[in-house]
Amino acid sequence: MPFGAEFQPDGRVRFRLWAPKHDRIELQLDASPQESSAETRLPLKREADGWHELTTDRARAGSRYRYRLPDGLVVPDPASRFQPEDVHGPSEVIDPAAYSWRDARWAGRPWHEAIVYELHIGTFTAEGTFQAAIARLDHLVELGITAIELLPVADFPGSRNWGYDGVLPFAPDSSYGRPEDLKALIDAAHARGLMVIQDVVYNHFGPDGNYLSAYAPAFFTDRHQTPWGAAINFDAPGSDVVREFVVQNALYWLQEFHFDGLRLDAVHAIRDDSGRHLLDELAQRVRTAVSSRPVHLILENEHNEAGRLRRPNGGYDAQWNDDVHHVLHVAATGEREGYYADYVGDSERLARALAQGFAYQGELMPYRGSPRGKPSADLPPTAFVAFLQNHDQIGNRALGERLTALAPAPAVLAVTATYLLLPQIPMLFMGEEWHSNSPFQFFCDFEGDLADAVRDGRRQEFARFAAFASESAREKIPDPLAPATFEASKLDWQAATTAPHAGILQWYRDLLGVRARRIVPLLPQLTRGAQYRVIDTQAVWVQWQTTNGAELTLTANLSARTVTGFPEAEGSLLWEQGQIETDGAFPAWTVRWMLRS
């Protein structure tokens, strides 16, 4: 890795920092607790193009170090592999070869086998650590999960955060454990046949603990603005180093930590007008560097750019499909505020999202005020990740309620049976499988004026919603800075063993068992989207045809009334949710999956 602290074959450590703003940088080695001597300062040699470098035998694994700028400011390494004292403290030299991997036989899994489980390390268990998560992996295997997706673990300020405020993207956050603990989690997952996907953030740095501007202002550019301010520089002078920093980070997680894939957060906010977009370069570099096993690249992309999902030129395996979430959420809850307004009562969008991925394929979205999406009917269903709940769709609600708190139980079961057997790749959010009552609320651990700004901003964000129009109502929104908000978001695993949750858990296991046995083998033969028909409001018929002539058919009445007019069932029954008395008449919240070979 061309950045940070790297062990050399002769046992010395090479330190390398890109600091084009300064002619002189010092390496500050902190004294260890066992040493009585003071810190050691060593000058780095100024190289070409703003690089500063030093190779020394004064450092070893476990050494804590910082870089001292000419004005006396000491900063952590932007490519730090570990921050034992949080984002403002010293970095620690990590020997990446010290961990003894046990997954030599792990060859990965093809993407079509993915049944994804999104989890947040800090709230997945009471302890909130990498090591504690290992004890819950068998639960996931028994559920039918084949891949876990971790919310970002890159070092963030404080002891609790969703992870999207990270500032040191190479350092697993110390509140979760050490780097070797994360490797042990991945090792244990691979031993159980589970893929592990890492959520990474390349569109911004968090607001506290980012020192890059102090020595490398070219890391950012005013050419573009993002919701977080000046954009990361991917297309202005100096961008070659910035681009390499991001590419190396992607390779670092895949190679050094053996991750099986990356989910790239909000790539629509990665602004790049160069001749070759960063996303294209990153995908190509990853495919070239990690070619001995399957590596899966997944996007979150508000623009719904279908071209990025057309392999091999597009380079990406799949995209989170917000449209499927929106159509199913609106069907189950009847919500119509905010962006849900663009999906209310539109059964064409419902059918199209289930059949072809994107509900909007270039049409105007009234609430958004602009067109969205590109044609996606030619894409395979596995190019889309379908979900009913995730960290955003729960946590970005004012109170962090799960779907089970918003919709009647028959509606929740119907939309769940729809998306979990859908040929798109399903993703569950932690605790969904037993209908956990624990909310997932927005939480962070800032201090001072920043904490006040986040708290006030969170409450003002919801002022446009009817339920929070008054100041007194907004005061009931959980304080994101309060430790109690974080604690309330932790899963209650004991609840999964009690009624009615234990029964729901078994229902999910049965449903995912059908997916593994009957749907997954079909997916390589589904090369494009499906044909569909709107039967009535929130009632649709969708059919996929495989390359060898088999037909997978979904008939669904996702409404609270009986609907007639469905075509006659053909083939063998895979799953029936609800009670269908006669063909052609579906009672409220009824779903049927059929397969004809």
Side-chain angles (χ1 to χ4, degrees):
M1 190 168 70
F3 300 85
E6 280 286 293
F7 276 90
Q8 303 300 294
D10 61 5
R12 297 186 297 167
V13 180
R14 184 222 67 201
F15 296 88
R16 199 161 188 252
L17 176 72
W18 187 58
K21 183 177 179 180
H22 300 294
D23 292 328
R24 180 172 56 86
I25 299 289
E26 288 183 323
L27 172 70
Q28 177 177 303
L29 293 171
D30 291 359
S32 71
Q34 295 79 27
E35 296 172 339
S36 58
S37 59
E39 66 195 31
T40 300
R41 297 185 191 175
L42 301 170
L44 278 71
K45 181 182 178 182
R46 168 88 184 207
E47 306 281 350
D49 300 324
W51 286 97
H52 299 256
E53 187 172 326
L54 169 70
T55 302
T56 177
D57 60 4
R58 303 287 295 274
R60 57 187 180 275
S63 294
R64 297 188 179 184
Y65 69 100
R66 295 180 246 205
Y67 295 114
R68 178 175 288 271
L69 308 184
D71 63 0
L73 178 67
V74 290
V75 299
D77 187 344
S80 168
R81 280 179 164 90
F82 188 54
Q83 292 290 118
E85 300 175 34
D86 208 7
V87 298
H88 299 290
S91 305
E92 181 179 321
V93 175
I94 297 293
D95 179 1
Y99 180 82
S100 297
W101 286 93
R102 300 182 298 278
D103 68 349
R105 295 185 178 181
W106 174 251
R109 299 184 71 148
W111 178 240
H112 75 273
E113 293 182 358
I115 300 172
V116 185
Y117 189 94
E118 188 193 24
L119 66 90
H120 175 266
I121 288 292
T123 54
F124 182 54
T125 63
E127 301 86 347
T129 64
F130 297 127
Q131 285 288 345
I134 294 174
R136 297 297 179 184
L137 294 180
D138 289 337
H139 163 87
L140 300 182
V141 173
E142 292 169 6
L143 175 61
I145 299 301
T146 61
I148 59 175
E149 181 175 314
L150 308 182
L151 266 70
V153 302
D155 205 42
F156 51 76
S159 62
R160 55 192 182 273
N161 198 283
W162 278 13
Y164 298 94
D165 292 314
V167 292
L168 295 168
F170 291 82
D173 194 87
S174 59
S175 66
Y176 300 152
R178 294 183 55 84
E180 52 267 33
D181 295 326
L182 175 54
K183 292 177 180 179
L185 171 59
I186 297 168
D187 228 351
H190 287 169
R192 292 162 171 81
L194 292 168
M195 297 181 279
V196 189
I197 297 166
Q198 177 61 63
D199 197 336
V200 291
V201 183
Y202 297 143
N203 52 59
H204 77 290
F205 288 87
D208 180 25
N210 172 25
Y211 291 94
L212 284 163
S213 293
Y215 52 86
F219 225 96
F220 304 93
T221 175
D222 290 329
R223 292 181 62 182
H224 308 291
Q225 290 296 314
T226 74
W228 307 279
I232 298 176
N233 175 22
F234 294 124
D235 59 5
S239 62
D240 54 338
V241 177
V242 181
R243 295 168 72 97
E244 189 65 19
F245 185 84
V246 167
V247 169
Q248 289 295 332
N249 183 257
L251 294 175
Y252 166 80
W253 291 120
L254 296 169
Q255 295 176 318
E256 196 160 307
F257 283 83
H258 296 196
F259 275 103
D260 299 282
L262 303 173
R263 180 263 190 188
L264 279 65
D265 177 67
V267 299
H268 51 271
I270 295 176
R271 305 296 302 276
D272 182 1
D273 291 336
S274 67
R276 187 186 191 197
H277 197 283
L278 173 74
L279 293 177
D280 298 326
E281 179 179 357
L282 187 148
Q284 185 274 320
R285 294 276 299 277
V286 164
R287 302 294 180 198
T288 300
V290 191
S291 58
S292 60
R293 59 185 171 92
V295 167
H296 309 302
L297 298 177
I298 304 134
L299 299 175
E300 180 194 25
N301 188 354
E302 176 69 21
H303 297 325
N304 285 357
E305 297 170 291
R308 297 207 174 279
L309 307 176
R310 294 191 176 96
R311 299 289 304 276
N313 294 335
Y316 290 85
D317 296 86
Q319 176 186 314
W320 273 25
N321 192 356
D322 283 337
D323 279 357
V324 158
H325 169 271
H326 296 346
V327 296
L328 294 178
H329 183 93
V330 167
T333 67
E335 284 199 62
R336 55 183 62 240
E337 286 194 287
Y339 48 70
Y340 291 135
D342 286 337
Y343 298 86
V344 172
D346 194 336
S347 300
E348 175 75 15
R349 305 291 176 203
L350 168 64
R352 186 193 271 189
L354 298 175
Q356 299 179 357
F358 295 149
Y360 284 87
Q361 300 183 20
E363 300 88 354
L364 174 71
M365 293 183 68
Y367 177 82
R368 176 188 174 101
S370 61
R372 181 185 185 212
K374 298 291 184 182
S376 57
D378 65 311
L379 292 172
T382 54
F384 305 95
V385 177
F387 47 87
L388 200 53
Q389 303 181 70
N390 66 20
H391 75 275
D392 269 332
Q393 302 300 339
I394 301 173
N396 283 332
R397 301 182 66 86
L399 304 180
E401 314 104 309
R402 293 172 179 261
L403 182 64
T404 45
L406 305 171
V412 174
L413 294 177
V415 293
T416 301
T418 299
Y419 99 92
L420 284 184
L421 296 187
L422 199 66
Q424 299 179 30
I425 299 297
M427 183 179 75
L428 295 78
F429 184 69
M430 60 179 195
E432 176 186 339
E433 69 274 23
W434 71 79
H435 286 182
S436 170
N437 292 327
S438 302
F440 186 73
Q441 298 170 339
F442 178 65
F443 50 80
C444 54
D445 189 18
F446 299 132
E447 297 179 348
D449 291 343
L450 178 58
D452 292 337
V454 169
R455 182 184 297 109
D456 294 342
R458 175 73 174 171
R459 289 175 175 166
Q460 287 304 313
E461 177 184 350
F462 293 98
R464 58 194 172 91
F465 292 91
F468 300 99
S470 68
E471 186 173 345
S472 61
R474 292 195 295 276
E475 288 177 354
K476 297 178 182 178
I477 296 174
D479 179 357
L481 284 305
T485 303
F486 172 65
E487 292 297 326
S489 299
K490 287 180 177 282
L491 286 182
D492 178 5
W493 283 90
Q494 181 60 32
T497 65
T498 63
H501 303 289
I504 292 294
L505 177 57
Q506 186 58 52
W507 182 87
Y508 271 81
R509 288 172 176 160
D510 293 344
L511 188 57
L512 289 177
V514 171
R515 179 181 183 86
R517 294 189 303 272
R518 307 298 301 276
I519 303 295
V520 169
L522 297 175
L523 297 182
Q525 304 164 36
L526 297 176
T527 59
R528 56 176 289 118
Q531 55 180 322
Y532 64 88
R533 189 184 315 164
V534 173
I535 305 299
D536 204 329
T537 302
Q538 292 183 195
V540 298
W541 173 93
V542 186
Q543 187 174 86
W544 294 262
Q545 293 188 338
T546 70
T547 53
N548 63 4
E551 294 175 344
L552 176 67
T553 305
L554 164 67
T555 45
N557 174 20
L558 303 180
S559 75
R561 57 189 177 79
T562 296
V563 173
T564 60
F566 285 96
E568 184 177 346
E570 296 182 359
S572 60
L573 179 66
L574 299 183
W575 188 271
E576 189 169 278
Q577 188 61 38
Q579 225 168 12
I580 302 173
E581 299 175 359
T582 61
D583 281 344
F586 278 46
W589 309 116
T590 301
V591 172
R592 182 166 61 190
W593 285 95
M594 305 289 293
L595 177 62
R596 186 170 69 174
S597 300

